[in-house]
Amino acid sequence: MASLARVRLARRLPTSLRAHVRSVQTTADLTELRDKPSDPSQPITVKLHEDSFQSYLCDKPDLEVQVTGEELLTMYKQMQTMRRMEMAADALYKAKLIRGFCHLAIGQEAVSVGLEHGITPQDRVITAYRCHPFAVLRGGTIKGVIGELLGRQIGMSHGKGGSMHIFTPSFFGGNGIVGAQVPIGAGVSFAQKYMGEKTCTFALYGDGASNQGQVFEAYNMAKLWNLPTVFVCENNKYGMGTSAARSSSNTEYFKRGDKIPGLQVNGMDILATKRAVEYARKWTVDDQNGPLLLEFVTYRYGGHSMSDPGTTYRTREEVQRMRSTQDPIRGLQKYIEEWGVAAEQELKQLDKEAKAEVDAAVEEAKASPEPLIKDLWTDIYYKNTEPAYMRGREREEVHHY
C-alpha cells in the first residue's frame, strides 16, 4: 500500500526530510503499554503510535489513552461477532438465500466498534450501504440484520428494506445513493443544534463517495452554521474497483473540508479510532467548535459487494498481506495477551461465544416467514402518522389501516 510504503521510506530518510513524507500508520498493533495497576478493575495507560494521527487546522489527540481490561475484552468480542455476522452473510449470499445487493465490512471492524465506544447512545450515526455492524451496535440485533438480508419478517425493516435500509432510533441507516447520506447527516445535526441537544451526528461515507458534489455542499452548510457534524471518510483504498489514487487528485481526504479542520486516523487500530472519535465528539459538542472531518484509513478484505471478486483491481498477495500483518482483531488480541488482560484460551472462548451467537441468530432469521402481501401497505408512514386509507394501484383499490 502506498501509505505503508511512505512510512517505510521515511524510516530510511534523514530526520530533516521525514516531515515531507510521513503518513498515517495503519498497523494494528503498535500501541505500547505504559502503566498497568495491580487492581484489574482500574484502567491501564497505553500510548498510541506517534503516526496514529495526522491533523489539518487542529491539534492531534493526546497519544496517551486509558482503557480498562473489561472494555478491551468487550471490544474484542464485538469485533469478532461483527466479523462472524458478515461471514455468515457471505455464506448465505453464496447459497442464494440473500439476493440483490450486499456490501460487507470484513476488515473494517475497528471503525464501527471503535466509533461505538467513543460516543453516547444519544449521538446519531448515518452511513452508506456497508452498514450491518453499525446497525447492530446502535441498538439493532444480529437476527434483525440477517433477517433483513434474507427478506424475512424478523428483519429490522420487516424484510422490506434489504441491506441498504436498516434503521434504529439513533442510526439513520445504510443509504443506497452514493454520498446522499452526508447532507442528511448534516441535517440531523442541524436539528440537534436547533433543539439544543448536547449531541452530534457522525456522517460516514467512503473514499469513493468523497468526490460527490453534495458532500462538499454539506461541508459548506455545516461550517457556515457551525453544526455539530463529524464527517467521516472510511478510506478503504478502493471505491468499487477503482483505487483512491486513480479517482481523487487529493487522497488526503481529511484535508478536503476547506475551512473545516480534519484528522487522519489509523483505522486498523481500535484504540486509535476510539481516541479519534472521543476527540471529535469533544470538538463538536463540548467545545462547540463546529464540524470536524475524520478520515479512517482502513481496508476491506472482500470486494466492494458480493458481486465483486475483489481481485481484478488488486492482487491476492496484497489482500493476504493485510490479513496477515494488519488485521484489527489480531492486533487487539496481541494487546490483550501481551498486557496480561486475558490468556489465549479465554479469547478462544469469546470466539466460540461469538460464533454460537451468530449461528443461533442465522437459524432464527431463516425460520422467520417472508412478509405477507398485506405488508406492502404498511410502514409507508411513520407509525401512528398514517392516513386512514391508502389508494392502491388503481383508483378503486383502497387499503384501510
Side-chain angles (χ1 to χ4, degrees):
M1 291 171 59
S3 62
L4 290 179
R6 287 196 294 271
V7 170
R8 294 191 182 104
L9 175 61
R11 290 170 179 164
R12 295 196 297 266
L13 289 175
T15 304
S16 60
L17 299 179
R18 290 183 185 180
H20 300 291
V21 295
R22 285 176 67 168
S23 181
V24 71
Q25 178 64 254
T26 55
T27 300
D29 58 358
L30 292 183
T31 295
E32 299 176 355
L33 177 66
R34 283 301 175 91
D35 179 58
K36 183 184 178 185
S38 56
D39 184 352
S41 65
Q42 295 299 309
I44 61 178
T45 302
V46 301
K47 184 177 181 181
L48 301 171
H49 189 274
E50 61 179 359
D51 290 333
S52 294
F53 310 111
Q54 296 296 330
S55 64
Y56 169 70
L57 300 180
C58 63
D59 294 330
K60 296 181 184 180
D62 190 347
L63 295 178
E64 282 209 350
V65 178
Q66 287 196 325
V67 61
T68 64
E70 181 181 2
E71 185 175 16
L72 289 171
L73 292 174
T74 299
M75 290 191 293
Y76 178 84
K77 173 74 176 295
Q78 287 175 331
M79 282 206 289
Q80 277 286 19
T81 304
M82 293 304 97
R83 180 168 294 184
R84 287 285 182 184
M85 178 182 69
E86 297 287 68
M87 291 169 61
D90 179 284
L92 290 167
Y93 193 97
K94 290 173 179 174
K96 298 186 177 180
L97 294 173
I98 294 175
R99 299 299 184 102
F101 295 102
C102 185
H103 304 80
L104 305 179
I106 300 173
Q108 299 182 205
E109 295 86 0
V111 175
S112 56
V113 177
L115 174 66
E116 188 60 31
H117 280 259
I119 61 177
T120 71
Q122 292 73 38
D123 292 317
R124 307 288 193 266
V125 176
I126 185 169
T127 188
Y129 32 71
R130 209 176 305 281
C131 63
H132 310 152
F134 297 101
V136 174
L137 295 166
R138 286 269 86 193
T141 63
I142 298 171
K143 66 182 178 183
V145 167
I146 296 296
E148 192 59 39
L149 301 181
L150 292 170
R152 305 300 173 91
Q153 291 182 25
I154 202 173
M156 288 173 62
S157 296
H158 309 301
K160 297 185 292 183
S163 179
M164 295 190 184
H165 304 100
I166 305 177
F167 307 88
T168 76
S170 62
F171 177 63
F172 285 49
N175 293 262
I177 300 175
V178 176
Q181 73 279 6
V182 180
I184 296 174
V188 173
S189 63
F190 173 82
Q192 290 170 313
K193 182 173 182 177
Y194 185 83
M195 298 174 71
E197 297 180 7
K198 298 298 183 183
T199 56
C200 62
T201 294
F202 287 78
L204 290 90
Y205 56 98
D207 53 284
S210 65
N211 297 317
Q212 288 282 313
Q214 57 198 330
V215 173
F216 294 93
E217 292 168 3
Y219 288 169
N220 181 61
M221 298 306 289
K223 185 60 179 178
L224 191 65
W225 292 341
N226 208 47
L227 300 181
T229 315
V230 183
F231 297 102
V232 183
C233 177
E234 284 189 275
N235 177 11
N236 60 23
K237 301 295 185 179
Y238 298 94
M240 297 187 70
T242 304
S243 68
R246 291 184 61 212
S247 66
S248 302
S249 60
N250 178 9
T251 58
E252 293 183 308
Y253 297 103
F254 69 110
K255 294 182 178 179
R256 296 177 68 171
D258 190 13
K259 294 182 179 298
I260 298 177
L263 194 68
Q264 189 183 57
V265 185
N266 177 1
M268 301 303 274
D269 186 332
I270 191 168
L271 296 181
T273 65
K274 177 178 181 288
R275 166 60 87 200
V277 170
E278 292 170 338
Y279 177 95
R281 191 181 189 282
K282 183 178 184 297
W283 177 279
T284 54
V285 179
D286 299 337
D287 299 337
Q288 299 183 19
N289 286 328
L292 185 71
L293 206 166
L294 295 183
E295 176 195 349
F296 288 118
V297 184
T298 182
Y299 196 84
R300 56 172 165 82
Y301 295 158
H304 170 72
S305 68
M306 287 301 299
S307 60
D308 168 22
T311 54
T312 56
Y313 47 87
R314 57 184 182 178
T315 64
R316 295 182 186 274
E317 289 73 22
E318 175 186 311
V319 178
Q320 184 55 40
R321 184 173 67 252
M322 292 298 296
R323 278 184 175 272
S324 60
T325 65
Q326 301 186 44
D327 184 76
I329 299 179
R330 297 283 75 81
L332 181 56
Q333 177 184 352
K334 180 181 177 183
Y335 293 157
I336 290 172
E337 293 179 0
E338 289 188 352
W339 299 344
V341 175
E344 182 181 0
Q345 285 304 116
E346 296 175 77
L347 296 182
K348 286 184 177 180
Q349 180 58 36
L350 293 180
D351 297 346
K352 291 180 181 178
E353 292 173 6
K355 183 178 185 303
E357 182 181 357
V358 171
D359 288 347
V362 168
E363 293 308 311
E364 190 171 354
K366 287 166 65 176
S368 177
E370 295 180 353
L372 304 175
I373 295 297
K374 68 179 180 63
D375 293 335
L376 287 171
W377 310 101
T378 62
D379 301 311
I380 300 172
Y381 292 87
Y382 187 74
K383 189 170 290 187
N384 299 323
T385 68
E386 308 95 335
Y389 60 88
M390 178 65 61
R391 199 180 84 188
R393 295 164 296 180
E394 301 173 357
R395 187 179 298 276
E396 294 75 20
E397 186 178 7
V398 177
H399 299 265
H400 294 271
Y401 283 101

